[in-house]
Amino acid sequence: MSEIIASIGFLQQGPFSIPRWEAVFSNIDVLWAGALVTLLVASLGLAMALALGTVIGVMSASHWKLPRALARAYVEFYQNTPLLIQVFMLFNAIPLVFPGLFIPVIVIGIFGVGMYHGAYIAEVVRAGIQSIGRGQLEAALSQGFTYVTAMRYIIIPQAMRIVLPPLTNQAVNLIKNTSVIAIIAGGDLMYAGDSFAGRYGHYGPTYVIVGLGYFLMCFPLAVLTRRLEERTRAA
Amino acid sequence: MIKLVGVNKHFGLHHVLKDINLEVPMGQKLVVIGPSGSGKSTLIRCINMLERPSSGHVIVDAVDLMAHRAPVAKVRQSVAMVFQSFNLYPHKTVLENVTLAPIVVCGVSKEEATTSALKYLERVGLREKADQYPAQLSGGQQQRVAIARALNMHPKVMLFDEPTSALDPEMIQEVLDVIIDLAQSGITMIVVTHEMGFAQEAADRVIFLDEGSIIEDGTPQHFFTNPQHDRTKLFLSKILR
Ligand SMILES: Nc1ncnc2c1ncn2[C@@H]1O[C@H](COP(=O)(O)OP(=O)(O)OP(=O)(O)O)[C@@H](O)[C@H]1O
Ligand SMILES: [Mg+2]
């Protein structure tokens, strides 16, 4: 066994050598801590993205001109600029506008991914609402529902079933995108990996493990997405 | 009860309703007949403002729905509509379909809404389907549920837009029977239909719409035996053949 290992060159020297793996595993706590921050940012960011996305999606599917225009502007802005720059702006611009206001980096991360994915979720929600036949809204209105109560009781519950698979897909993207807060020293899994790897040069094993960490967080959601898609198709 | 005064409707350049004047007294059973595209659906949809006329007045229960800030949603509670394509709420059970609006819109208690819903489901012969979903029902059954849903609002007026046109032939009669039964009650009914037998049996007035104008208005007997216009005669000769 040890002879076989000894004969494998890349385990003896270079970026993936055994001593590097050992060094990473003996410091795995650092990565654990980062993973917890990533989970925290992802779950709160997702909650924010869902809330924002639902409100903005309903606004952009509505027949009211002003809310629709505002929703469109929001979506276009957030979808057509890089998340990296948005997070960087939040980090640097808020102290300029509100001097002395201290915002923890984690909160900036939550707002960053929350607002960015809120725009994508808004589009998913809008498409879902628009896929519900016009007859449903007309039936509700003809019974005396207002536009808002018709949305609440008739349209949105039906749209939600349709948008569930694309929503979980958004959750996967959101988890991966939390890694951008590494550039503002976010303390997340990516940042933990970066700084640890940078300190000792153990890039190879560190990024393999960090990547695996993201995979373990995302893969269950990806499986869920596929299940939901199958269920939607069967219905 | 219902009064349309000088109602016009344009879709873009298309003049679909042309100066419609129509008064429907309380309790009347009015049947609207006319060729495809003559504006029947548009006319009936103007009565509950699903379509907003380009000009004119739509007065329902003494409220002018064309007035600024008219209480349209409030008036719609007492003007029920039955659609050609049923439009049941697919995510709700039959019972929920029938009780939802009374509870949410009218603020009726759940118990009360359920009691009356079961009564109306009984009346349309579908009480035992209360816990099923619309997709589990046949077209004829869905339309009867839609009628029960409309009735559970305790409406003063019922609007039917070709309620049997989307049905397989063997299901048409079960739905017509329910509507004929309703016509025995005091409720005001406006029915767009191609079912001439129904018009003869249940209507006390028939209007004929052609290219957006009412060109015939009278009793069913008058309409079927003594129509005034050549276009009506042509239409009848085609449809009664
Ligand atoms: N939303 C709309 N936009 C544009 N044109 C419309 C719209 N709704 C109806 N029309 C047009 O108005 C005319 C009248 O339509 P309407 O549906 O009232 O006719 P109808 O008498 O109900 O016909 P049918 O027997 O086929 O149901 C048709 O030429 C139709 O194409
Ligand atoms: Mg029609």
Side-chain angles (χ1 to χ4, degrees):
Chain A
M1 186 66 188
S2 56
E3 278 165 37
I4 298 174
I5 292 174
S7 71
I8 301 174
F10 76 85
L11 290 177
Q12 297 312 308
Q13 51 187 327
F16 291 98
S17 68
I18 284 173
R20 291 193 189 276
W21 284 99
E22 282 167 355
V24 174
F25 276 109
S26 62
N27 286 288
I28 199 80
D29 290 356
V30 180
L31 298 185
W32 267 121
L36 286 180
V37 171
T38 291
L39 272 180
L40 181 72
V41 172
S43 43
L44 293 180
L46 183 61
M48 181 174 173
L50 281 173
L52 262 179
T54 307
V55 170
I56 293 170
V58 169
M59 278 164 64
S60 65
S62 79
H63 54 192
W64 299 311
K65 283 212 178 75
L66 183 65
R68 202 169 60 210
L70 290 174
R72 290 316 307 164
Y74 180 92
V75 168
E76 297 304 340
F77 175 77
Y78 278 96
Q79 281 196 342
N80 294 306
T81 51
L83 173 59
L84 196 66
I85 290 176
Q86 291 165 20
V87 170
F88 188 75
M89 286 300 188
L90 275 177
F91 185 63
N92 289 288
I94 289 176
L96 284 183
V97 184
F98 306 100
L101 181 69
F102 173 74
I103 302 176
V105 178
I106 287 182
V107 174
I108 291 180
I110 292 166
F111 274 73
V113 292
M115 298 199 315
Y116 178 79
H117 284 280
Y120 280 91
I121 289 175
E123 282 299 87
V124 169
V125 169
R126 180 187 59 77
I129 288 174
Q130 288 175 344
S131 74
I132 305 299
R134 180 150 185 82
Q136 290 291 308
L137 181 63
E138 290 188 347
L141 292 179
S142 80
Q143 290 204 284
F145 282 89
T146 61
Y147 182 77
V148 172
T149 52
M151 280 287 150
R152 156 116 168 58
Y153 290 96
I154 314 291
I155 309 298
I156 291 175
Q158 291 182 60
M160 275 305 162
R161 296 182 182 192
I162 294 170
V163 304
L164 221 46
L167 277 189
T168 46
N169 190 34
Q170 279 297 315
V172 169
N173 286 332
L174 184 144
I175 293 173
K176 289 189 291 181
N177 279 339
T178 56
S179 62
V180 300
I181 66 171
I183 63 149
I184 52 169
D188 65 314
L189 180 55
M190 193 68 203
Y191 177 75
D194 263 345
S195 51
F196 176 76
R199 201 152 19 177
Y200 306 104
H202 304 318
Y203 290 102
T206 308
Y207 284 137
V208 168
I209 290 171
V210 165
L212 189 67
Y214 281 104
F215 182 84
L216 289 178
M217 286 187 252
C218 294
F219 183 65
L221 280 171
V223 172
L224 181 66
T225 307
R226 211 158 332 110
R227 291 258 168 81
L228 290 172
E229 268 169 3
E230 275 157 22
R231 210 190 62 184
T232 316
R233 221 171 344 194
Chain B
M1 185 72 227
I2 293 170
K3 200 169 167 187
L4 305 191
V5 184
V7 166
N8 284 281
K9 176 69 186 177
H10 300 262
F11 287 114
L13 291 178
H14 194 10
H15 196 175
V16 175
L17 292 180
K18 297 170 184 156
D19 192 34
I20 298 286
N21 293 287
L22 178 69
E23 195 168 344
V24 184
M26 191 126 76
Q28 188 165 77
K29 322 297 170 206
L30 172 67
V31 163
V32 181
I33 294 174
S36 180
S38 57
K40 306 180 296 296
S41 296
T42 308
L43 173 70
I44 203 171
R45 289 159 57 84
C46 280
I47 294 171
N48 65 355
M49 288 283 132
L50 283 185
E51 221 64 82
R52 190 180 163 81
S54 312
S55 64
H57 296 278
V58 176
I59 298 152
V60 177
D61 217 5
V63 178
D64 185 353
L65 296 177
M66 291 291 282
H68 184 58
R69 303 189 79 96
V72 174
K74 181 87 200 153
V75 170
R76 281 172 177 160
Q77 292 177 27
S78 56
V79 181
M81 186 164 217
V82 175
F83 299 85
Q84 183 174 350
S85 48
F86 330 136
N87 295 347
L88 293 179
Y89 308 132
H91 59 307
K92 300 279 182 191
T93 64
V94 163
L95 183 63
E96 288 166 343
N97 264 277
V98 182
T99 57
L100 187 67
I103 294 170
V104 173
V105 177
C106 313
V108 171
S109 76
K110 193 174 173 189
E111 295 71 42
E112 195 182 324
T114 304
T115 309
S116 58
L118 291 172
K119 186 184 81 186
Y120 288 125
L121 284 173
E122 179 88 58
R123 182 157 170 192
V124 301
L126 290 172
R127 199 191 145 128
E128 76 283 8
K129 302 284 187 192
D131 294 322
Q132 302 205 346
Y133 283 88
Q136 297 169 285
L137 305 184
S138 73
Q141 291 171 332
Q142 289 190 46
Q143 193 61 299
R144 280 145 65 199
V145 171
I147 293 170
R149 175 175 74 175
L151 286 172
N152 208 25
M153 295 296 285
H154 310 297
K156 295 178 186 162
V157 180
M158 286 187 74
L159 308 174
F160 294 82
D161 189 3
E162 301 200 29
T164 59
S165 300
L167 298 176
D168 292 339
E170 71 271 19
M171 294 172 184
I172 290 177
Q173 199 55 46
E174 69 186 47
V175 172
L176 285 182
D177 286 343
V178 169
I179 303 175
I180 289 168
D181 174 55
L182 273 179
Q184 314 297 321
S185 70
I187 198 164
T188 310
M189 280 174 39
I190 302 181
V191 187
V192 175
T193 185
H194 290 294
E195 297 293 331
M196 296 302 137
F198 170 80
Q200 274 163 321
E201 185 169 351
D204 37 46
R205 179 178 174 195
V206 173
I207 60 174
F208 185 80
L209 213 55
D210 187 63
E211 292 182 353
S213 302
I214 297 172
I215 63 167
E216 210 82 50
D217 185 350
T219 62
Q221 204 208 350
H222 161 90
F223 179 76
F224 288 106
T225 58
N226 190 22
Q228 301 302 296
H229 281 72
D230 290 341
R231 305 197 65 122
T232 322
K233 289 175 193 158
L234 185 67
F235 177 84
L236 285 173
S237 71
K238 277 190 206 153
I239 206 155
L240 293 177
R241 193 172 44 198

